[in-house]
Amino acid sequence: MTHRTFDRRLFLRGALGTAALTAGPALLSGCGDGGKSNTNAVNAKVKLPSYAPYQGPQPDLRGTSEGVLDGFLKYPANPKRVAKAPPGDGSTVNVFVETYSPIPPGLSQNQYWQQINKRVGLNLKMTVITSSDYADKLATTTAGGDLPDLLQLAGLVPQLPQMLAAKYEDLTPYLGGDAVKDYPFLANIPEIYWKTSCVYNGGIYGVPIPRSKMGAVFYLRSDILSAKGLDPAPASFADFKKLCMALTEPRQNKWAIANPTGAVNFVQQMLGVANSWKNDGGKLTNAYELEETKQAIAAVAQLAKAGTVHPDSYDPTLTTDFKQWFNAGNAALDYDNYTAWPQFYVQNVAGPSFKIAGMLPPAYDSGSKPVTWQGNPDLSFTAIKKGDKKRIKMLLEVCNWLSAPFGTEEYLFRTYGIAGRDYEVKNGDPVVTSTGEAEVPGLSIGYIANAPTVLYFPGFPEATKDGYEFQRKFLPMAVANPTLGLYSNTNSTKGSDINLKMTDAQSAILQGREPLSSWDDAVKTWRSAGGDTIRKEYQDALQKTS
């Protein structure tokens, strides 16, 4: 599973709605060319790749139709190589990807990168950009004329349909319908992932990086709660507040809440707030505009005033410390992506007693119906630059190789690196070494193409079971963002800035620097600065999908 650290900009993708700032597939009603080639009318006719599941090892924990992932308690023994030969033609391929890890060593000092090149039969010229710099660097790259052969597209990309139509390949002839069966590991990716992120201009314009319907999780240190005799399942906000108070001991450098923005999200879910947008028959109301959101902010402001929030949590330069505070026990509650679950165990500093769990939102009070928020099924997608048919097919073969499923030798190598160097095998599971930590994750090979996600926490089978059981409870009460799958160019150009200002306004209230009434003014500013235009673009698209 891929781990995404939450810097200030990235966390906005999860704040006030899991997909609030993520550009989905283009069903745009108006953008640049008037949306003539990128309407629902043309996109609805796209023949998506036929799904042909890979018949690999059977999971220990079977996934469900609601989106619960297959779970594996160990990596399958004696994984076999499923690729007959390197898929590449020996040429140089320029790649642009983001990373949520430190930038890795260069090619000459990185044996994993060297082996990747050998295994795929290419000279991969990787441009790896940190997540905090990704948006700016992507804008510069797409504005220039020298575009990469393989381009990872994530988040908000202005004029995306036009850029794809002009510079990148419509892959429908290669992947639409049964044509995808020429690439069996791409055929192993279910329809939802192609539909959610890759359909533009009446065609398939990329290869998806699948994730899950799971949204962010409100984590708790169950070992700490157990030692204090505290109930990990409060029945109301009042009970939740009592729990936070009981976990707070400032003199011992211990607080309840690591992430106040995440706490607001969690209380919103207690109140049944919609995921980013509320859809009433095609009329959209943003979560910012709902009275329940204001109520959630007021509730967390109470918690902050009571001293239950880590005092450094408002410093935007320290938001990447949330995990460290949680792992060290300086904060017992944290809000993070579902993929952080195994990462907490890997980074554990508390010893063998360390144990975490997810908390489901209780009803705020007797009149509330709680919900959870679904995430975006895809992390991103990778577009392939226009070229001759032979080169396009070769690059798709490479993407196919990189999508070899869990349980294969290729997946093991791609994810963990070189055996004996980047990882060691202990009790049948790969354990990453310090060399592997430096060489492998930062290169982001898995952001070029990847297999469907599974639940697998190497070396922590009980944690895998816990994560699986939590998904079984979380997903049946999860609501989707109704704009997922729609494209708003205004959201792509202005969404990040206007949402960041809303986060700042919320933070000012939580810290007591501004009164709760200032939220109303912030909402008015958000609407006039672009929120109303975003709403209209989404509503127009919704009308054309109904």
Side-chain angles (χ1 to χ4, degrees):
M1 299 175 73
T2 302
H3 313 310
R4 302 175 66 111
T5 54
F6 278 64
D7 63 24
R8 190 167 185 242
R9 183 197 312 231
L10 175 63
F11 191 74
L12 281 170
R13 297 186 189 179
L16 290 173
T18 310
L21 295 186
T22 304
L27 301 175
L28 182 63
S29 64
C31 171
D33 66 352
K36 295 177 181 177
S37 61
N38 193 55
T39 64
N40 181 60
V42 295
N43 288 335
K45 298 176 182 178
V46 173
K47 181 180 289 188
L48 296 171
S50 300
Y51 177 47
Y54 174 72
Q55 301 302 315
Q58 294 300 302
D60 300 294
L61 306 167
R62 177 67 66 181
T64 71
S65 60
E66 291 173 320
V68 177
L69 299 172
D70 285 342
F72 291 84
L73 303 182
K74 282 189 175 296
Y75 202 85
N78 304 313
K80 64 178 182 178
R81 288 198 182 191
V82 291
K84 297 178 181 178
D89 61 4
S91 64
T92 294
V93 171
N94 292 289
V95 181
F96 182 103
V97 289
E98 67 177 328
T99 184
Y100 298 93
S101 301
I103 297 294
L107 177 60
S108 62
Q109 289 82 40
N110 192 325
Q111 291 191 28
Y112 169 71
W113 188 348
Q114 295 168 20
Q115 285 297 310
I116 283 282
N117 281 350
K118 182 178 179 181
R119 294 284 297 269
V120 300
L122 292 173
N123 173 29
L124 290 176
K125 189 175 180 181
M126 304 289 296
T127 298
V128 182
I129 308 299
T130 60
S131 60
S132 58
D133 294 330
Y134 170 81
D136 291 339
K137 184 63 175 178
L138 178 63
T140 302
T141 299
T142 55
D146 188 18
L147 293 173
D149 300 290
L150 298 171
L151 174 63
Q152 183 200 6
L153 291 161
L156 304 176
V157 184
Q159 302 296 318
L160 179 59
Q162 288 77 6
M163 185 270 287
L164 290 172
K167 302 294 184 181
Y168 283 86
E169 193 76 23
D170 178 358
L171 301 174
T172 311
Y174 306 91
L175 300 177
D178 287 345
V180 75
K181 294 180 180 179
D182 288 342
Y183 311 96
F185 303 142
L186 295 181
N188 180 53
I189 299 174
E191 266 192 10
I192 184 174
Y193 300 108
W194 300 96
K195 183 178 182 180
T196 301
S197 68
C198 300
V199 176
Y200 297 83
N201 306 314
I204 301 167
Y205 274 86
V207 173
I209 308 299
R211 284 299 177 263
S212 167
K213 288 184 179 180
M214 279 295 297
V217 173
F218 198 73
Y219 290 96
L220 59 92
R221 282 286 301 272
S222 50
D223 54 334
I224 293 176
L225 271 68
S226 178
K228 288 179 170 290
L230 299 173
D231 187 350
S236 65
F237 175 77
D239 286 348
F240 178 72
K241 184 177 180 180
K242 291 176 184 177
L243 173 65
C244 291
M245 297 296 292
L247 289 168
T248 300
E249 301 176 87
R251 291 184 179 180
Q252 281 70 48
N253 199 29
K254 296 180 186 298
W255 291 268
I257 296 169
N259 181 349
T261 299
V264 172
N265 295 165
F266 190 60
V267 177
Q268 284 179 288
Q269 292 168 33
M270 294 183 193
L271 290 159
V273 171
N275 185 348
S276 300
W277 295 87
K278 181 181 180 181
N279 181 10
D280 289 319
K283 180 182 178 181
L284 293 174
T285 304
N286 193 276
Y288 295 142
E289 302 170 289
L290 298 175
E291 188 61 31
E292 292 86 353
T293 290
K294 190 175 177 181
Q295 183 180 353
I297 295 170
V300 178
Q302 292 178 27
L303 298 176
K305 187 175 181 179
T308 68
V309 177
H310 195 292
D312 294 331
S313 62
Y314 302 104
D315 185 339
T317 67
L318 297 178
T319 53
T320 54
D321 292 346
F322 293 163
K323 281 186 174 69
Q324 285 71 29
W325 299 337
F326 184 74
N327 268 310
N330 301 120
L333 307 172
D334 191 21
Y335 188 78
D336 207 328
N337 198 297
Y338 81 96
T339 56
W341 201 304
Q343 187 180 13
F344 284 130
Y345 279 93
V346 171
Q347 296 178 349
N348 159 42
V349 296
S353 65
F354 180 84
K355 186 174 177 61
I356 69 172
M359 182 187 293
L360 293 173
Y364 185 90
D365 54 28
S366 60
S368 304
K369 183 179 180 181
V371 298
T372 56
W373 291 339
Q374 285 186 19
N376 189 333
D378 297 321
L379 171 79
S380 59
F381 73 101
T382 298
I384 298 178
K385 189 166 72 171
K386 287 182 183 291
D388 62 61
K389 184 175 182 179
K390 182 178 180 181
R391 184 164 178 81
I392 297 300
K393 293 183 72 172
M394 182 274 293
L395 291 173
L396 283 172
E397 290 285 2
V398 171
C399 289
N400 183 69
W401 189 96
L402 292 172
S403 300
F406 180 87
T408 64
E409 190 277 339
E410 287 84 353
Y411 181 101
L412 185 65
F413 167 70
R414 183 184 73 244
T415 306
Y416 299 101
I418 303 168
R421 174 182 170 83
D422 296 319
Y423 72 91
E424 304 284 351
V425 177
K426 295 183 180 179
N427 299 319
D429 287 313
V431 177
V432 176
T433 65
S434 57
T435 302
E437 189 64 33
E439 288 188 348
V440 178
L443 196 59
S444 294
I445 291 296
Y447 291 174
I448 302 173
N450 215 325
T453 304
V454 300
L455 273 175
Y456 170 60
F457 304 169
F460 301 100
E462 291 305 314
T464 303
K465 293 178 184 177
D466 291 343
Y468 176 81
E469 289 303 323
F470 183 74
Q471 288 200 2
R472 285 170 58 90
K473 297 173 183 176
F474 181 103
L475 285 166
M477 60 187 295
V479 295
N481 177 352
T483 67
L484 185 64
L486 308 178
Y487 183 86
S488 160
N489 193 60
T490 303
N491 191 43
S492 294
T493 55
K494 297 182 178 181
S496 182
D497 288 339
I498 63 176
N499 282 285
L500 183 57
K501 290 176 181 176
M502 295 301 288
T503 299
D504 290 340
Q506 175 182 288
S507 182
I509 296 169
L510 298 183
Q511 294 177 73
R513 293 188 287 107
E514 295 288 344
L516 182 63
S517 58
S518 67
W519 184 252
D520 297 329
D521 293 332
V523 171
K524 290 178 183 176
T525 300
W526 172 84
R527 291 185 59 182
S528 62
D532 281 344
T533 305
I534 294 170
R535 184 200 326 274
K536 183 180 186 306
E537 290 173 355
Y538 280 147
Q539 286 182 169
D540 287 347
L542 278 170
Q543 290 172 6
K544 294 180 180 181
T545 61
S546 59

